[in-house]
């Protein structure tokens, strides 16, 4: 399995979300692991509505952007106390999210915890510590997971909306959350990263570091210009066209990538 090691690691949420989709668009040559972090932000699932998922006023007051990813799943809060774990593979792999959940659970057991893999993510008792989402295409599949390591639960609750009074099929399935640092001793983000890497080696064999490919960079730049750099994408889930004022990518030559 390859281990993606960018030349310059980024914590910029829009750039990281664009790279996630770029991994699928470019089609990885083989299984790929990526471990990454974002600055403070709220990230919606592909079809979710911001007003149902995020505390819009609270996010605006704190300067916490509300963004949208290309994968499904529920809304999550990211900051530097949260670790993001991604596996991408070529081809159609609908079981990939489940495999990633098993990887996360295996890492948590190294801290003496007893995690359970459920359809809602990875839980320890009734507390959710990791949520998962997938993006599947005919040519590539990506699954990513969050791992709440040191971020206080109160901070997560402050920026996410409570359960709406009316139900909607795409609404997040709310669960109590608690960071791992309150469940086990010696938990830190670097320690969590090391455990995830060690568990990946156990499950998949040696990890071969590689840089982001030219095709992945090309797609990332194109997606930032056409989607992730646009307020329209994040609020409505629709990319802007060349005729809209928010189409920032028209200010530079179009990025060409293999479709």
């Amino acid at each position: 399995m390859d281990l993606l090691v960018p030349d310059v690691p980024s914590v910029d949420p829009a750039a990281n979300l664009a790279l996630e989709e770029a991994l699928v668009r470019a089609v990885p040559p083989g299984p790929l692991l990526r471990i990454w972090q974002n600055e403070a932000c709220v990230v919606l699932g592909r079809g979710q509505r911001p007003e149902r998922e995020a505390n819009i006023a609270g996010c605006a007051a704190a300067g916490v952007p509300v963004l949208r990813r290309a994968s499904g799943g529920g809304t999550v809060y990211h900051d530097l106390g949260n670790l993001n774990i991604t596996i991408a593979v070529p081809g159609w792999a609908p079981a990939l999210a489940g495999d990633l959940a098993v990887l996360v659970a295996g890492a948590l057991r190294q801290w003496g915890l007893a995690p359970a893999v459920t359809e809602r993510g990875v839980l320890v008792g009734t507390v959710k510590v990791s949520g998962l989402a997938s993006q599947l295409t005919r040519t590539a599949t990506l699954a990513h997971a969050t791992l709440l390591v040191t971020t206080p639960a109160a901070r997560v609750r402050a920026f996410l909306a409570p359960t709406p009074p009316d139900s909607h099929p795409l609404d997040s399935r709310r669960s109590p959350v608690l960071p791992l640092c309150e469940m086990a001793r010696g938990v830190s983000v670097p320690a969590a990263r090391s455990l995830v890497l060690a568990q990946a080696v156990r499950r998949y064999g040696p990890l071969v570091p590689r840089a982001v490919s030219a095709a992945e960079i090309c797609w990332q730049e194109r997606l930032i210009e056409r989607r992730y750099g646009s307020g329209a994408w994040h609020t409505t889930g629709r990319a802007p066209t060349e005729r809209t004022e928010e189409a920032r990518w028209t200010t530079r030559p179009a990025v060409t990538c293999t479709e």
Side-chain angles (χ1 to χ4, degrees):
M1 172 177 275
D2 288 342
L3 175 65
L4 196 68
V5 182
D7 293 336
V8 182
S10 173
V11 293
D12 176 75
N16 275 324
L17 294 176
L19 181 55
E20 289 289 275
E21 185 174 352
L23 298 178
V24 174
R25 297 263 193 157
V27 184
L32 171 70
L33 175 67
R34 178 189 182 211
I35 301 178
W36 50 287
Q37 289 178 279
N38 273 337
E39 292 180 331
C41 62
V42 170
V43 183
L44 308 171
R46 173 66 180 86
Q48 293 186 308
R49 301 178 186 176
E51 66 277 8
R52 297 181 68 87
E53 299 291 335
N55 175 359
I56 302 298
C59 288
V64 173
V66 179
L67 307 178
R68 186 182 302 275
R69 61 180 185 266
S71 61
T75 294
V76 291
Y77 172 75
H78 287 179
D79 66 13
L80 296 181
N82 182 84
L83 203 62
N84 300 300
I85 306 153
T86 299
I87 295 179
V89 299
W92 177 267
L96 187 62
D99 193 57
L100 177 56
V102 171
L103 169 68
V104 171
L108 297 182
R109 290 190 185 97
Q110 303 306 305
W111 272 312
L113 300 174
V117 175
T118 76
E119 61 178 11
R120 292 182 293 154
V122 180
L123 278 66
V124 176
T126 61
V127 173
K128 187 174 183 179
V129 296
S130 179
L132 298 106
S134 299
Q135 183 180 1
L136 292 94
T137 73
R138 289 176 296 177
T139 55
T141 302
L142 177 143
H144 40 201
T146 61
L147 191 58
L148 196 65
V149 184
T150 61
T151 302
R155 185 166 177 82
V156 177
R157 292 192 296 268
F159 297 113
L160 300 185
T163 303
D166 59 321
S167 62
H168 188 281
L170 295 178
D171 286 347
S172 295
R173 299 180 64 179
R174 274 74 168 176
S175 299
V177 298
L178 195 67
L180 293 170
C181 66
E182 296 187 26
M183 300 183 190
R185 302 178 69 178
V187 174
S188 66
V189 171
R193 177 185 172 87
S194 295
L195 283 183
V196 170
L197 288 172
Q199 188 65 22
V201 170
R202 292 189 189 97
R203 287 185 61 79
Y204 307 115
L207 301 176
V208 181
R210 76 160 174 88
V212 182
S213 71
E216 289 160 354
I217 292 173
C218 179
W219 271 115
Q220 181 190 32
E221 292 176 346
R222 181 176 183 177
L223 288 162
I224 288 172
E225 291 185 281
R226 296 194 174 188
R227 281 193 177 183
Y228 297 95
S230 162
W233 164 254
H234 298 301
T235 56
T236 70
R238 295 187 294 274
T241 67
E242 292 187 31
R243 297 179 181 178
T244 67
E245 293 180 359
E246 293 180 294
R248 302 176 187 175
W249 53 274
T250 61
T251 62
R252 295 190 295 173
V255 179
T256 56
C257 302
T258 303
E259 294 282 355

